[in-house]
Amino acid sequence: MRATVKKKAAGQVTGFPDLLILPQAKVGAFFFEIKAEGGRLSQAQKAVHEGLRELGYPVAVVRSIEDAREALIEFGVGFREAGK
């Protein structure tokens, strides 16, 4: 059985973001799609992200730590970095 067939049989949804974040804060869940610099979203990813946004969930495509920081600030999530 191919790996993708096994993943689908296990319930994986094509296009679902890489990370679901459930912070200990008064904000709800949000999602990060992690892409390499220059990486593009597939049509399935675009569709799933749009569906999540329609449900009120924030979704960010992050390519760096700086992108993640900016998304956290935009989503209203406080954070503290180790060593700072």
Side-chain angles (χ1 to χ4, degrees), residues 32 62 64-74 79 81 84:
F32 280 171
V62 297
S64 66
I65 295 296
E66 186 57 37
D67 286 352
R69 285 184 191 110
E70 290 174 13
L72 290 170
I73 291 166
E74 180 182 330
F79 62 93
E81 294 187 45
K84 292 191 178 191

Side-chain angles (χ1 to χ4, degrees), residues 11-81:
Q12 181 178 2
V13 176
T14 301
F16 201 81
D18 297 309
L19 292 175
L20 161 61
I21 295 99
L22 301 167
Q24 291 182 328
K26 294 185 181 189
V27 297
F30 57 93
F31 298 86
F32 280 171
E33 181 69 51
I34 301 169
K35 289 288 181 190
E37 201 59 47
R40 296 179 182 215
L41 295 174
S42 69
Q43 289 301 321
Q45 289 170 322
K46 289 177 185 178
V48 170
H49 294 187
E50 183 59 31
L52 289 167
R53 287 183 183 112
E54 287 176 3
L55 291 171
Y57 294 107
V59 180
V61 177
V62 297
R63 292 179 166 81
S64 66
I65 295 296
E66 186 57 37
D67 286 352
R69 285 184 191 110
E70 290 174 13
L72 290 170
I73 291 166
E74 180 182 330
F75 297 163
V77 178
F79 62 93
R80 179 179 48 197
E81 294 187 45

